[in-house]
Amino acid sequence: MSTIQSDSNKVLDFSDTCLLTIAIAGASAGGKSAIAGALVTLLGSEKANILALDSYYNDLSHLPAAARDKHNFDRPQALDIDLFVRHVGRLKQGRCI
């Protein structure tokens, strides 16, 4: 069992069968990766992992470089959200992605 003591003296217990999903959102360069990395360090890499939304940009390798340069990666359509949701669902079921 892993426990985390917070500054407010509350203790969070994580048993081996507990699956907790934490979503961290914010603006670009807002510290999301640093927070996620700190959580993995705190919990241990055997109990925590990072699933970065950056890994779910649609594949544009079939387009010429000039067309890729014009692509707006800030639009929601730039991401394969359906695949991300499927992967989160598989992970919550204890399955591999």
Side-chain angles (χ1 to χ4, degrees):
M1 180 186 321
S2 296
T3 60
I4 298 175
Q5 179 101 23
S6 71
D7 290 337
S8 63
N9 292 323
K10 293 182 182 176
V11 176
L12 303 174
D13 292 324
F14 298 97
S15 68
D16 291 336
T17 59
C18 176
L19 177 62
L20 178 65
T21 303
I22 300 172
I24 302 170
S28 181
K32 299 178 299 292
S33 295
I35 292 169
L39 284 170
V40 170
T41 299
L42 185 64
L43 296 171
S45 61
E46 68 283 349
K47 292 194 177 259
N49 207 325
I50 297 172
L51 184 64
L53 196 56
D54 284 351
S55 300
Y56 290 88
Y57 279 103
N58 289 309
D59 181 16
L60 301 179
S61 62
H62 64 284
L63 296 176
R68 288 193 305 265
D69 289 343
K70 293 178 183 176
H71 191 74
N72 183 351
F73 291 96
D74 292 328
R75 298 183 68 211
Q77 295 84 353
L79 296 163
D80 189 345
I81 298 296
D82 291 337
L83 180 60
F84 177 76
V85 169
R86 284 195 310 272
H87 281 177
V88 170
R90 288 180 62 90
L91 291 170
K92 290 184 80 165
Q93 294 170 351
R95 298 168 65 195
C96 294
I97 58 170

